[in-house]
């Protein structure tokens, strides 16, 4: 019984971070219809910026907002400088449908190599701001520490903030309009290009938070967020790639599911099962487990 | 007429490879093998992306499947070298067929993500099975080169010739295939899927076929890669390899085999030569030199997609 509880707690922590990455991918997908594979690069650059702040000031609470702002700025720049002109240029031709994918992939390479040039390839570490040792009840210590609690709470806060923005503000309305009906939105006076850039900035900030949160556990190197990108993608696909709630639930389902596979089946099966889950979802229920309102179009 | 010209150009390339291999030093020969497997891998994506319109960000994984198939058949069943190449093609093609059944139903970003996950995850799978020997990998026993080569300590020259021959044969087969009925079918289903279906092309089947053949060719590239490092190990097939191949096919203009040759040469030159020169010139440290090849390649990729989204024009028309 205790094992089940412990495994769930481990899964929820991991799943929260997957949710954040999934959310970053969903935000971009909703605004521009691009799966942003460069998200791992944007997040790693923001995390390194956060790392610099920590190693200079030794203050995690300063690093988190700095990385968040950096992530937002990077995301906005990526859209304004690259994606916007790309979607205008490659309207047709054999590469039209895959050009944005390839561009984000190229961007991932550029950012990663620049990060490698500046900081080198060594694994770096910084400490979690709060205790990493599990809570103790009586004589049992559960694998859920203050830091894990911080991760979960941060994720919940991010989710609430975005839900409020999307549902309650006029900016959210514009974001939704630009995503679902760009032409109509434009006619109604929404500056679609700028709104899309805002979506990219939100996504960049979310990815940065995911990077800063996971690093005390995973370490930091130019490719330390690659696995997070894959898990985030799978989580987003489970959630249907469209909905914020879907991303959150998808991340949690994936995190908890993988934790149980590690605990009860075989720890080596973690990645193969992720791949199988991805294929099964795409083949059986391509709209995602969280039923999307309409079919997907790539 | 055109097909005769094509055959002649392949013979000419074979002769050129023979003489070049004979006259350069060992470093250039190993770089030549790098060019060969890169070009073969890019050609496999020309078929997949340029013709059938599918994307794969994980062809490095299929190369790994080919390499391991070749090495395993050599280690455990002692197949002759040529047969291990055939096994590499077969193994990767079977794997690709299974994957293709799923891939044929996936659209752009989903297929990209799925293949990316594959390229990322495949190295982990080698740790599952003890006969794959984990990160250390398996040695590829190439047998002995003919005597005259052993005397000169130039066995790599021999391997280069084998690689060049295998590469030329498979690309020649591919070029024939692309100008056949199947090539036209793939073109049709990429540019106008609905009309293709109306004129009787079975889209699903065509896509799976393209994925299968493309995987088989990638498998051969993997076997050549394994031959050039005399073993198969997971780190020989990093994510960057898959990205490099994808960059190659974009630089090649996605539909041109001649473009693939140029792109392959360019990519290897960037990695092996240009980056070193640039770092030497600016006297920069290891951080720069380690990352410069990826930087230049990725930058080229972005620039190509931005300014020549359909690739530089190598196509004759």
């Amino acid at each position: 019984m205790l094992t089940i509880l412990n495994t769930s707690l481990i899964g929820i922590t991991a799943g929260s971070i997957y949710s954040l990455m999934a959310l970053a991918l969903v935000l971009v997908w909703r605004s521009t219809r691009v799966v942003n594979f460069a998200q791992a690069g944007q997040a790693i650059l923001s995390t390194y910026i956060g790392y610099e702040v920590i190693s200079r000031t030794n203050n995690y609470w300063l690093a988190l907002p700095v990385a968040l702002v950096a992530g937002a700025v990077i995301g906005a720049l990526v859209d304004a400088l690259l994606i916007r002109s790309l979607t205008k240029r490659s309207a047709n031709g054999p590469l039209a449908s895959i050009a944005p994918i390839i561009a984000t992939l190229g961007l991932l390479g550029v950012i990663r190599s620049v990060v490698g040039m500046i900081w080198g390839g060594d694994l770096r570490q910084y400490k979690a701001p709060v205790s990493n040792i599990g809570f103790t009840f009586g004589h049992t210590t559960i694998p859920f520490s203050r830091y894990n609690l911080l991760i979960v709470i941060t994720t919940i806060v991010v989710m609430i903030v975005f839900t409020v923005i999307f549902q309650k503000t006029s900016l959210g309305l514009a974001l939704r309009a630009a995503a679902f009906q760009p032409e109509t939105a434009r006619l109604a006076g929404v500056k679609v290009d700028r709104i899309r850039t805002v979506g990219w900035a939100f996504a960049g900030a979310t990815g940065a938070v995911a990077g800063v949160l996971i690093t005390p556990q995973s370490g930091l190197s130019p490719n330390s967020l690659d696995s997070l990108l894959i898990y985030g993608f799978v989580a987003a696909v489970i959630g249907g790639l469209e909905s914020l709630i879907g991303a959150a639930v998808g991340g949690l389902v994936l995190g908890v599911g993988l934790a149980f596979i590690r605990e009860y089946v075989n720890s080596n099966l973690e990645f193969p099962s992720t791949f199988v889950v991805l294929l099964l979802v795409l083949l059986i229920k391509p709209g995602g487990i969280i039923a999307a309102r309409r079919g997907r179009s790539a | 007429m055109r097909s005769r010209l094509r055959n002649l150009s392949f013979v000419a390339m074979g002769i050129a490879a023979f003489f070049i291999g004979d006259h350069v030093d060992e470093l250039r020969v190993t770089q030549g093998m790098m060019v060969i497997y890169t070009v073969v891998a890019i050609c496999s994506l020309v078929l997949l992306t340029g013709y059938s319109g599918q994307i794969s960000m994980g062809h490095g994984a299929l190369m790994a499947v080919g390499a391991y198939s070749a090495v395993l058949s050599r280690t455990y069943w002692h197949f002759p070298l040529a047969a291990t190449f055939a096994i590499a093609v077969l193994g990767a093609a079977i794997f690709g067929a299974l994957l293709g059944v799923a891939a044929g139903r996936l659209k752009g970003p989903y297929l990209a993500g799925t293949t990316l996950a594959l390229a990322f995850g495949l190295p982990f799978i080698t740790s599952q099975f003890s006969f794959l020997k984990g990160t250390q990998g398996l040695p590829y026993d190439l047998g002995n080169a003919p005597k005259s080569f052993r005397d000169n300590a130039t066995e790599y020259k021999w391997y280069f010739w084998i690689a060049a021959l295998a590469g030329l044969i498979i690309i020649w087969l591919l070029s024939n295939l692309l100008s056949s009925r199947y090539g036209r079918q793939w073109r049709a289903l990429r540019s106008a899927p609905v009309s293709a279906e109306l004129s009787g092309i079975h889209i699903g089947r065509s896509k799976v076929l393209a994925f299968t053949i493309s995987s088989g060719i990638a498998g051969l590239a993997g076997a050549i890669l394994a031959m050039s490092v005399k073993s198969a190990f997971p780190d020989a097939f990093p994510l960057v390899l898959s990205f490099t191949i994808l960059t190659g096919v974009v630089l090649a203009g996605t539909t041109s085999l001649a473009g693939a040759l140029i792109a392959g040469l360019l990519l290897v030159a960037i990695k092996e030569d240009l980056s070193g020169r640039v770092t030497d010139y600016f006297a920069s440290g290891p951080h720069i030199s380690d990352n410069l090849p990826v930087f230049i390649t990725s930058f080229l990729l972005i620039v190509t997609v931005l300014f020549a989204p359909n690739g530089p024009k190598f196509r004759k028309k």
Side-chain angles (χ1 to χ4, degrees), chain A residues 184-214:
Chain A
T184 320
R186 193 168 280 131
L187 290 176
V190 176
K191 299 209 165 34
V192 172
D193 277 352
R194 265 188 233 171
I195 286 295
R196 280 184 176 164
T197 307
V198 171
W200 278 78
F202 282 170
T206 312
V209 173
V212 173
L213 283 180
I214 202 175

Side-chain angles (χ1 to χ4, degrees), chain B residues 28-38 156 159-161 163 224-225 227-229:
Chain B
R28 296 289 173 210
V29 171
T30 44
Q31 288 169 344
M33 289 174 78
M34 223 176 263
V35 173
I36 294 167
Y37 68 70
T38 310
Y156 272 104
Y159 301 145
F160 171 76
W161 282 337
I224 296 174
L225 193 161
M227 187 165 83
S228 72
V229 292

Side-chain angles (χ1 to χ4, degrees), chain B residues 10-259:
Chain B
F10 274 94
V11 171
M13 277 190 277
I15 295 171
F18 179 80
F19 281 108
I20 293 171
D22 209 16
H23 281 92
V24 294
D25 55 36
E26 199 178 310
L27 174 66
R28 296 289 173 210
V29 171
T30 44
Q31 288 169 344
M33 289 174 78
M34 223 176 263
V35 173
I36 294 167
Y37 68 70
T38 310
V39 170
V40 172
I42 294 173
C43 287
S44 76
L45 266 191
V46 166
L47 161 61
L48 190 71
T49 304
Y51 277 75
S52 85
Q54 303 177 85
I55 188 175
S56 167
M57 281 159 62
H59 254 43
L62 293 160
M63 289 172 70
V65 172
Y68 272 98
S69 312
V71 172
L72 284 173
S73 67
R74 183 80 180 167
T75 315
Y76 291 102
W77 303 314
H78 308 290
F79 278 14
L81 200 55
T84 65
F85 279 16
I87 294 286
V89 174
L90 200 65
I94 292 171
F95 190 87
L98 294 176
L99 192 64
V101 171
R105 300 159 175 232
L106 304 183
K107 283 182 177 164
Y110 298 98
L111 184 54
T114 308
T115 48
L116 178 70
L118 181 72
F120 178 78
L122 206 72
F124 291 106
I125 294 177
T126 54
S127 63
Q128 312 283 305
F129 305 100
S130 55
F131 68 95
L132 294 178
K133 300 275 191 294
T135 49
Q136 172 197 349
L138 292 157
Y140 194 0
D141 169 25
L142 299 166
N144 290 322
K147 212 165 179 144
S148 53
F149 293 96
R150 264 180 286 159
D151 289 349
N152 300 335
T154 52
E155 52 174 4
Y156 272 104
K157 194 192 284 179
W158 176 246
Y159 301 145
F160 171 76
W161 282 337
I162 297 176
L165 185 65
L168 280 173
I169 290 174
I170 199 118
I171 296 173
W172 178 73
L173 289 173
L174 177 64
S175 80
N176 281 322
L177 183 70
L178 291 184
S179 51
S180 74
R181 186 161 64 94
Y182 291 102
R184 289 193 297 277
Q185 280 188 7
W186 286 321
R187 257 180 219 255
L189 78 88
R190 189 207 64 203
S191 45
V194 177
S195 345
E197 196 163 23
L198 286 174
S199 37
I201 296 172
H202 194 298
I203 291 193
R205 208 178 294 158
S206 279
K207 279 190 168 176
V208 175
L209 184 68
F211 214 100
T212 308
I213 299 174
S214 171
S215 306
I217 298 171
L220 181 78
I224 296 174
L225 193 161
M227 187 165 83
S228 72
V229 292
K230 286 193 172 172
S231 61
F233 54 98
D235 281 351
F237 306 93
L239 218 45
V240 171
L241 179 67
S242 301
F243 292 0
T244 309
I245 305 166
L246 191 61
T247 308
V249 76
V250 174
L251 294 180
T254 70
T255 53
S256 156
L257 294 179

